[in-house]
Amino acid sequence: MGHTLVIVESPTKARTIRGFLPRDFRVEASMGHVRDLPNNASEIPAAHKGEKWANLGVNTASAFEPLYVVPKDKKKVVKELKDALKGADQLLLATDEDREGESISWHLLQLLQPKVPVKRMVFHEITKEAIGRALDQTRDLDMELVHAQETRRILDRLVGYTLSPLLWKKVAWGLSAGRVQSVAVRLLVQRERARRAFRSGSYWDLKAQLEQAGSGFEAKLTHLKGERIAGGSDFDETTGDLKAGSRVKLLAEEEARRLQSAVQGAHWAVAEVEAKPTTRRPVAPFTTSTLQQEANRKLRLSARETMRAAQGLYERGFITYMRTDSVHLSDQAIQAARSCVAQKYGQDYLSPSPRQFSTKARNAQEAHEAIRPAGESFRAPADTGLEGRDLALYELIWKRTVASQMAEARLTMLAVDLDVDGGALGTARFRATGKRIDFPGFFRAYVEGSDDPEAALEGQEVLLPSLAVGDAPACRGVEALGHQTQPPARYSEAALVKMLEKEGIGRPSTYASIIGTIVDRGYATLQNNSLTPSFTAFAVTALLEEHFPDLVDTGFTARMEQTLDEISHGQVEWLPYLETFYKGEEGLETQVLRREGDIDPGVSRTVELEGLPCVVRIGRFGAYLETKRVADDGSEELLKATLPQEITPADLDADKAELLLRQKAEGPESIGEDPETGEQVYLLFGQYGPYVQRGQVSDDNPKPKRASLPKGQKPEELTLEDALGLLRLPRALGDHPDGGRVEAGLGRFGPYVVHHKGKGEKDYRSLKAEDDVLTVPLSRALELLAMPKRGRGGRTALKHLGVPDGADEPVQLFDGPYGLYVKQGKVNASLPEGTTADTITLEQAIELLAAKAATGKGKAGSRSSAARQSTAKKPAAKKPAAKKPAAKKPPATTKTGRLRASAVRVIKAADS
């Protein structure tokens, strides 16, 4: 008797769903997509290698027919699926319920060519009830969804593989452009431009400490002689002056001080009291976008980390499908949430009737329900057995869902105006504001933007003493405060996701990969949860704005998104749309051909920033300053100075630029002499930041001793003693109780302590922020060395997979900013899509590490013993994919053709 074959994307999903299916069902995983457009020349079939369009992967001359290939790493999976299909009497395609999942199912159908009945099985949660319903409600493939996904994929490839080569030639090698990615980069650049243009304004006000019936409260100056006092919002960000037409009084410091003295001992009287009742409704349950935003704000997770954790929770049956634009809750979910409220908080906290929400996001689609705990009853976070990030994210989803069915919070907003005689300056009015929570309602479970509802509840209340008109509170002190207006904040991941969704750009399910690509390509750095664009981002954005303005216009991109959604609903034909976009007089292909000759690489690599005595250029090794100067012989010469990576476009001003250029022209300035050697000690600025150097570079001394300044050390505050201490690192701290010596030093990843155990074995620990590498004592070093070893970035291993036979170092599993990876020694290897912490084995890890080591990207000496063993057993892994002669010399007959052909060397340049 035959079996029913069920195909899902990942082993974790397969394992979960298997427990809810009959015994004669067999579940296999496709490991994501089994077929895609070619990523490099080696993947192009021999029959198509001579075609001009082959490297693009789309036959633009024949109805935009895509060239689909099975990547090498998926050939084994496809064979296993074909073998599993043998003897089956039915095939169920149970990939995810969105466009991507529909596309994967279609590709599986095309590859497997089954001779048995095929049905599409969809569900948005992996529970026994949901799987049972899905088995009873199978359907056919939705080809409109497939066409929509295919059109999106082709469109992204056309944009990426047409524009990226242009950027390589005109700006810098390895850059990429993307339909959504380039718009997102422009948003970052526009914010950074606003920060550069920002001019700070200054203003003063007063803050009084008052007391009524033993209770203290605070009041701030709002009016003087009936005229409103200027605040931060009254200033023009581009001039630093008050906005034109502002009817406010700008209080100067001298005036503020005089008013402070006048009101300090004067009579204070309550002039008005206002108590305004208000209510707060709970926010809607999570969508993909809002989950990414809240996880970033509350848990400090990147969009990638959030989606990876959410996918694991979904595949293990803890939450519903995590890619959704909908805030709708099923009747079952509402009942489960209301049950949780009644049990945990009581009937008083339950909303009088079930609360439903409607989706307001532009282009909302491919969604059935909000992200919520799975099942007909919600598991309490403490009962899940989850830990760490998974538990934190599940708890966030649980709280938000439960809160959606809770009663409104009732508050009273309080405002008290007080008048006081300011002498010659006139009557001053101060205002005290407060907020009283009359009934916390849903605040008991969830407060947006706060981790702890109970703590947030306390923070929500600002209580005022009972005050009535005519009361005369006592003044305990008045403070005059000076303020400076602040520039617009850089985008956090949460803020960028919110903006992209608001503008209708891209799909929320792609935001994680978009932001990841922006960081990976060097368009932005992520520091203190802020995305800071690079000088390269400025150069690329300026080129695209001038020559391809539509492609970085938010409105144009949003309209493209709208059209793609209309294609998915069968309202627009996909082929004519691609013809119009790519071909014709105004098509992308024609625009690139027409404009390529007009784009001057020298101009494209130049970033002109207002107020600088020079220009910024993009070079092979990063950004640098360039200006012309008159040499001693009267001739004009170019002066170039490397820009340290820590200097951002908004922070680069004339003073910093002149310092770097002067140092380059005149040589480094000595900060003193080393008494031990008699050599001068210099402070220099390089690409990776400031550093100190003993002596000058010469034939006798080609590599003088250098040391980077520790993070947080300001160059202008560096003393000769500090510099000498850094140059003499590593310094001996003493002997370790277990034998061997202990040292403190400064390395590539910052300050550290190390235990030299002997025979070349060393044990490192990074110093904490409060530790000083120049003064840290042996006792503190031993304390740090006793702590469990953490990976790079302060990460603790999630799992120890074991030590391979014949190896000295263990293989460990870590979770980094870009997902799970295995590590042995100095070799890291990312886990392939579909592999999780639960499914990875030591054998798989050894193969991954061997393949990574074989690519030659790391130092030869850094290859792990596991990698050496594995490559000895698997010689095929020694051939790096990058060394393919076809990729070096693709068939092309035009400039653009040659450029486009080379585009295949960037992996998925603009897939996002």
Side-chain angles (χ1 to χ4, degrees):
M1 186 175 174
H3 61 272
T4 295
L5 176 63
V6 181
I7 301 180
V8 296
E9 293 95 334
S10 75
T12 305
K13 186 175 176 181
R15 198 163 47 248
T16 308
I17 194 176
R18 197 174 286 129
F20 303 129
L21 292 171
R23 287 191 175 184
D24 58 341
F25 279 60
R26 179 176 173 179
V27 186
E28 297 292 339
S30 71
M31 310 298 285
H33 271 284
V34 288
R35 211 169 64 148
D36 200 359
L37 302 175
N39 282 324
N40 54 57
S42 67
E43 291 184 353
I44 299 171
H48 296 289
K49 280 193 181 292
E51 303 288 351
K52 292 179 182 179
W53 54 266
N55 293 315
L56 187 62
V58 179
N59 189 349
T60 56
S62 178
F64 290 88
E65 183 182 350
L67 173 62
Y68 289 121
V69 296
V70 178
K72 284 184 178 178
D73 62 342
K74 289 298 174 73
K75 291 186 184 296
K76 182 181 177 183
V77 174
V78 172
K79 184 181 183 303
E80 289 172 349
L81 292 176
K82 286 182 176 179
D83 290 342
L85 189 58
K86 293 174 183 176
D89 49 28
Q90 184 182 204
L91 172 61
L92 293 180
L93 299 171
T95 52
D96 291 337
E97 61 173 342
D98 56 9
R99 282 187 298 218
E100 193 78 21
E102 206 74 17
S103 177
I104 292 174
S105 283
W106 178 75
H107 281 290
L108 285 167
L109 200 59
Q110 297 297 303
L111 272 177
L112 300 178
Q113 294 290 312
K115 302 291 190 293
V116 295
V118 180
K119 286 292 180 183
R120 180 83 168 95
M121 175 181 169
V122 291
F123 41 86
H124 65 274
E125 61 182 346
I126 308 176
T127 61
K128 184 176 182 180
E129 297 78 18
I131 299 305
R133 284 194 299 272
L135 283 172
D136 294 335
Q137 299 170 8
T138 56
R139 60 168 172 81
D140 294 329
L141 270 178
D142 186 335
M143 290 310 297
E144 287 181 350
L145 279 182
V146 172
H147 281 149
Q149 177 60 27
E150 191 170 47
T151 306
R152 187 180 294 269
R153 184 74 183 90
I154 292 170
L155 196 59
D156 287 342
R157 176 59 68 102
L158 293 175
V159 173
Y161 275 43
T162 302
L163 285 181
S164 296
L166 193 65
L167 296 181
W168 304 345
K169 186 175 181 181
K170 304 297 183 180
V171 182
W173 171 257
L175 297 176
S176 69
R179 183 177 61 85
V180 178
Q181 170 199 316
S182 297
V183 181
V185 170
R186 187 185 182 217
L187 288 172
L188 300 182
V189 169
Q190 286 176 319
R191 181 61 58 87
E192 199 75 358
R193 287 171 179 164
R195 287 175 67 87
R196 276 196 67 81
F198 176 80
R199 297 293 175 266
S200 181
S202 60
Y203 61 97
W204 284 75
D205 61 14
L206 269 62
K207 181 170 70 174
Q209 301 296 332
L210 305 172
E211 187 178 299
Q212 174 76 12
S215 296
F217 63 101
E218 192 176 275
K220 291 183 179 179
L221 177 69
T222 61
H223 293 77
L224 187 59
K225 262 198 225 178
E227 194 174 7
R228 186 169 69 82
I229 298 297
S233 60
D234 295 308
F235 287 84
D236 188 320
E237 294 183 344
T238 59
T239 65
D241 298 327
L242 286 175
K243 292 176 181 175
S246 291
R247 296 182 179 179
V248 293
K249 178 176 179 56
L250 181 58
L251 200 64
E253 179 179 4
E254 185 269 335
E255 208 171 9
R257 301 283 186 203
R258 282 168 50 209
L259 185 61
Q260 176 190 16
S261 300
V263 302
Q264 191 97 28
H267 175 75
W268 292 69
V270 175
E272 289 183 38
V273 177
E274 182 183 3
K276 185 179 178 182
T278 186
T279 58
R280 296 272 179 85
R281 282 173 57 91
V283 288
F286 280 128
T287 61
T288 303
S289 166
T290 53
L291 178 64
Q292 289 174 6
Q293 292 173 50
E294 274 291 84
N296 184 242
R297 284 192 290 256
K298 288 187 175 183
L299 308 179
R300 283 294 184 262
L301 296 181
S302 70
R304 271 182 174 174
E305 290 170 322
T306 298
M307 293 307 290
R308 196 176 292 273
Q311 181 157 343
L313 291 174
Y314 161 67
E315 291 180 345
R316 285 178 286 164
F318 287 104
I319 63 171
T320 53
Y321 191 51
M322 67 290 166
R323 293 191 177 97
T324 174
D325 292 336
S326 177
V327 290
H328 178 78
L329 288 176
S330 66
D331 292 342
Q332 166 191 299
I334 289 174
Q335 191 52 49
R338 293 178 70 80
S339 175
C340 285
V341 175
Q343 290 174 19
K344 186 171 178 64
Y345 303 107
Q347 290 291 331
D348 290 346
Y349 282 88
L350 198 59
S351 63
S353 59
R355 186 180 280 114
Q356 193 56 269
F357 299 83
S358 59
T359 301
K360 295 178 182 177
R362 195 188 301 186
N363 298 342
Q365 50 80 42
E366 65 184 36
H368 299 276
E369 198 174 357
I371 303 170
R372 61 165 176 86
E376 295 182 355
S377 61
F378 297 164
R379 277 178 280 188
D383 299 335
T384 58
L386 294 168
E387 296 179 345
R389 177 185 303 168
D390 290 343
L391 175 60
L393 195 64
Y394 178 82
E395 188 172 29
L396 200 63
I397 294 166
W398 187 92
K399 286 179 178 178
R400 178 110 162 193
T401 310
V402 168
S404 74
Q405 298 305 312
M406 292 179 71
E408 295 177 342
R410 296 194 300 273
L411 304 89
T412 299
M413 312 303 290
L414 305 167
V416 177
D417 289 325
L418 304 104
D419 287 341
V420 58
D421 184 10
L425 292 170
T427 302
R429 173 158 286 199
F430 284 72
R431 169 166 279 210
T433 57
K435 181 165 56 175
R436 184 179 68 238
I437 297 177
D438 303 313
F439 175 67
F442 73 94
F443 281 169
R444 284 289 306 279
Y446 181 86
V447 179
E448 196 170 18
S450 175
D451 289 316
D452 182 358
E454 292 300 328
L457 207 58
E458 294 171 13
Q460 290 274 318
E461 279 201 320
V462 181
L463 298 177
L464 294 177
S466 179
L467 291 161
V469 174
D471 283 350
C475 178
R476 300 304 181 201
V478 179
E479 189 178 359
L481 301 171
H483 305 276
Q484 293 287 123
T485 56
Q486 298 300 309
R490 291 186 176 105
Y491 283 103
S492 64
E493 285 202 38
L496 183 58
V497 165
K498 187 174 183 178
M499 176 61 80
L500 291 171
E501 184 178 43
K502 177 187 172 187
E503 295 290 340
I505 297 168
R507 303 289 345 126
S509 57
T510 66
Y511 292 158
S513 62
I514 289 164
I515 294 171
T517 300
I518 288 170
V519 174
D520 293 345
R521 300 287 182 206
Y523 286 128
T525 55
L526 187 59
Q527 296 175 322
N528 299 322
N529 206 35
S530 293
L531 288 161
T532 304
S534 63
F535 290 100
T536 302
F538 268 65
V540 168
T541 298
L543 184 151
L544 295 176
E545 283 176 333
E546 181 179 354
H547 298 283
F548 307 97
D550 281 350
L551 294 181
V552 285
D553 178 68
T554 52
F556 180 84
T557 307
R559 288 192 295 275
M560 289 173 70
E561 206 66 57
Q562 179 68 43
T563 303
L564 289 168
D565 286 333
E566 289 169 353
I567 290 170
S568 71
H569 300 138
Q571 298 167 338
V572 172
E573 292 291 328
W574 66 280
L575 187 55
Y577 176 69
L578 286 178
E579 290 276 356
T580 303
F581 174 80
Y582 193 69
K583 293 188 169 186
E585 196 61 29
E586 297 302 319
L588 179 62
E589 183 180 42
T590 308
Q591 285 189 52
V592 171
L593 284 169
R594 183 189 301 149
R595 295 178 180 274
E596 183 182 343
D598 299 334
I599 302 174
D600 180 352
V603 175
S604 299
R605 293 178 183 133
T606 302
V607 180
E608 294 193 20
L609 299 174
E610 188 181 348
L612 295 185
C614 56
V615 296
V616 177
R617 292 197 189 278
I618 309 301
R620 289 180 60 195
F621 305 108
Y624 63 92
L625 300 175
E626 181 181 288
T627 190
K628 292 179 180 178
R629 71 161 192 162
V630 179
D632 295 337
D633 60 4
S635 63
E636 196 173 62
E637 65 178 11
L638 282 178
L639 181 63
K640 300 177 181 179
T642 300
L643 262 174
Q645 287 182 344
E646 65 192 32
I647 295 182
T648 66
D651 298 333
L652 180 61
D653 56 23
D655 291 341
K656 287 189 177 76
E658 285 172 355
L659 174 65
L660 293 167
L661 290 167
R662 186 171 64 251
Q663 186 189 77
K664 184 70 175 180
E666 301 172 1
E669 183 179 347
S670 172
I671 57 174
E673 182 181 291
D674 185 342
E676 291 184 6
T677 66
E679 294 176 292
Q680 295 296 313
V681 176
Y682 302 98
L683 173 65
L684 299 100
F685 295 85
Q687 181 182 1
Y688 301 105
Y691 63 95
V692 289
Q693 176 178 296
R694 183 168 54 213
Q696 291 273 37
V697 177
S698 64
D699 292 339
D700 296 332
N701 188 21
K703 292 185 178 180
K705 174 73 174 178
R706 294 173 176 172
S708 297
L709 267 61
K711 190 175 182 181
Q713 170 75 66
K714 295 180 179 179
E716 60 270 22
E717 296 175 0
L718 184 75
T719 65
L720 176 62
E721 185 181 359
D722 292 335
L724 292 172
L726 292 171
L727 289 166
R728 287 168 186 158
L729 292 175
R731 66 184 183 92
L733 301 183
D735 295 327
H736 195 283
D738 296 338
R741 69 185 190 280
V742 178
E743 292 179 342
L746 190 63
R748 182 180 172 192
F749 303 111
Y752 63 85
V753 289
V754 57
H755 174 204
H756 294 269
K757 295 183 174 182
K759 295 183 179 179
E761 188 179 356
K762 301 175 184 178
D763 190 16
Y764 290 88
R765 294 293 184 279
S766 293
L767 291 180
K768 307 298 182 186
E770 63 270 20
D771 296 316
D772 185 345
V773 67
L774 300 180
T775 59
V776 64
L778 175 64
S779 57
R780 173 60 173 161
L782 294 175
E783 180 185 336
L784 291 168
L785 289 164
M787 294 179 181
K789 190 163 187 176
R790 303 175 80 84
R792 281 178 55 185
R795 298 181 191 99
T796 304
L798 296 179
K799 185 187 287 188
H800 293 266
L801 299 177
V803 181
D805 293 339
D808 299 323
E809 297 169 305
V811 177
Q812 296 173 304
L813 178 71
F814 290 89
D815 194 358
Y818 306 114
L820 297 173
Y821 64 93
V822 286
K823 177 182 175 72
Q824 186 188 29
K826 296 180 180 178
V827 180
N828 293 351
S830 297
L831 265 59
E833 186 180 349
T835 308
T836 67
D838 298 329
T839 60
I840 184 70
T841 64
L842 178 61
E843 292 71 24
Q844 289 173 314
I846 291 172
E847 288 190 20
L848 292 169
L849 290 163
K852 183 65 180 289
T855 62
K857 289 182 179 179
K859 293 181 181 178
S862 70
R863 286 181 58 184
S864 65
S865 52
R868 290 193 295 271
Q869 286 179 335
S870 185
T871 48
K873 295 175 185 177
K874 300 178 181 292
K878 291 182 179 178
K879 293 184 180 179
K883 297 179 181 177
K884 300 292 181 183
K888 293 180 181 176
K889 197 173 182 180
T893 57
T894 65
K895 270 188 178 180
T896 304
R898 288 193 297 275
L899 277 170
R900 184 184 297 141
S902 62
V904 297
R905 296 177 61 185
V906 167
I907 296 180
K908 295 186 179 177
D911 283 355
S912 59

